[in-house]
Amino acid sequence: MADSDATDAVDDADAVDGLTVGQVSSRVGVTVRALHHWDEVGLARPSRRTAAGYRLYTAADLERLHRVVVYRELGLGLDEIRAVLDDRAADVPEALRAQRDQVADRVERLRRLGAGLDRMIEAHERGLLLSAQQQAALFGSDWDPDEHARARERYGDTPQWRQYAERSAARGPEEWRAVAESVAELDRALADAMDAGVAPGSPEADRLVERHREVFASYFPLTRQMQVCVGRRYEADPGFAAHYDGIRAGLATWFRRIVDASARNHGIDPDTATWR
């Protein structure tokens, strides 16, 4: 007769000597499905049956089940539990030490995951995870540490800010130093090209525009249309214009011109380019 998953009634004599699957499930705190599985694999079987064919767990069966549950909660697999319970030669303390070491490893992994999540949250909220002193050391004394707060106000709900935050969370001072050096090298190359009379739309100017996109990708991927918008901002924003014109007078405007010319070379009208 098929087993019942409910707490079916049994006669008084049977109730004294055993509990049904449903009763044990409630008492031990595991599912009926788990009890059936442990029965099937021979880990914890009910010792008795009623006249109607229902499985009954005796007090000894219940004690074994409690031990199974304890070891399961400690993380042991079913085969390991079987060895601990049935193998007289099993070294139980050694098995538990091995499990303790695995737990310690998991705890450490979770600690690192928690720290990483904290950094990701902070990066989404702040952008750059460096102190004002670290920023000045990396980006120069004229760097405004509040720039990232303003950037978050402008772009905090955009995919680009999320991409930037993910990159920022993974970077420490040394990684940002490499980014700052790449930006400084590009700025020098732009100034040298302007001094040399490199014409907007020329192959050399286009290579510098491509280099700018590559360097900018340290923050987030930059499409050509987005780059046109960046070029406009470098020229129009007083802070950015002061930075570039401080390197070379007129550099902000020259950079905007080479970006616009490169966009035209790729079939983009810079006058109608949008942030996409």
Side-chain angles (χ1 to χ4, degrees):
M1 184 174 182
D3 293 324
S4 172
D5 289 346
T7 56
D8 301 284
V10 295
D11 61 41
D12 290 341
D14 286 333
V16 171
D17 293 328
L19 297 172
T20 65
V21 173
Q23 290 169 327
V24 169
S25 172
S26 298
R27 182 169 298 193
V28 179
V30 297
T31 65
V32 169
R33 182 177 180 181
L35 291 172
H36 283 321
H37 178 62
W38 294 350
D39 181 5
E40 290 169 3
V41 300
L43 179 63
R45 286 176 168 165
S47 299
R48 299 186 61 250
R49 285 183 182 264
T50 68
Y54 295 116
R55 298 167 177 171
L56 291 178
Y57 289 83
T58 65
D61 298 335
L62 202 59
E63 174 60 27
R64 182 179 177 92
L65 273 173
H66 281 301
R67 295 182 68 194
V68 170
V69 170
V70 168
Y71 286 125
R72 197 80 177 99
E73 289 179 348
L74 290 174
L76 271 67
L78 297 187
D79 290 338
E80 294 172 308
I81 295 172
R82 191 196 317 277
V84 168
L85 297 182
D86 298 335
D87 187 353
R88 292 176 178 242
D91 189 339
V92 176
E94 184 58 30
L96 294 177
R97 288 190 187 96
Q99 186 61 26
R100 178 199 60 196
D101 292 343
Q102 292 179 29
V103 169
D105 289 342
R106 287 200 296 272
V107 168
E108 176 58 22
R109 288 197 297 272
L110 289 172
R111 186 198 65 76
R112 291 197 298 268
L113 176 60
L117 289 170
D118 286 341
R119 282 186 62 83
M120 186 68 76
I121 291 168
E122 190 176 5
H124 275 277
E125 292 177 344
R126 288 180 48 204
L128 191 61
L129 302 184
L130 298 174
S131 68
Q133 292 79 10
Q134 289 174 317
Q135 293 179 49
L138 291 177
F139 306 123
S141 58
D142 60 342
W143 171 261
D144 183 357
D146 293 329
E147 173 58 32
H148 283 77
R150 290 192 292 270
R152 186 180 186 279
E153 291 176 2
R154 288 191 296 267
Y155 307 118
D157 59 348
T158 65
Q160 289 74 37
W161 180 265
R162 291 191 286 273
Q163 291 168 324
Y164 168 64
E166 290 163 5
R167 286 164 169 75
S168 179
R171 288 182 182 141
E174 289 308 310
E175 289 80 9
W176 278 116
R177 184 182 304 280
V179 172
E181 289 173 353
S182 296
V183 171
E185 289 172 3
L186 173 61
D187 288 348
R188 287 193 293 271
L190 291 170
D192 291 343
M194 188 186 77
D195 288 344
V198 171
S202 66
E204 186 175 352
D206 284 352
R207 284 193 293 270
L208 286 170
V209 171
E210 287 303 306
R211 184 174 169 185
H212 172 261
R213 291 180 66 221
E214 292 172 4
V215 170
F216 201 98
S218 298
Y219 305 103
F220 54 81
L222 192 70
T223 66
R224 297 186 191 283
Q225 292 225 29
M226 291 162 65
Q227 189 180 30
V228 170
C229 297
V230 168
R232 290 180 198 150
R233 182 149 187 261
Y234 284 0
E235 182 181 37
D237 183 275
F240 281 108
H243 168 75
Y244 285 101
D245 291 343
I247 298 171
R248 288 291 192 281
L251 184 59
T253 296
W254 182 82
F255 176 75
R256 192 266 307 159
R257 290 176 59 212
I258 68 170
V259 168
D260 286 357
S262 178
R264 291 190 189 93
N265 289 343
H266 287 87
I268 297 169
D269 180 0
D271 294 330
T272 59
T274 57
W275 188 262
R276 62 183 177 87

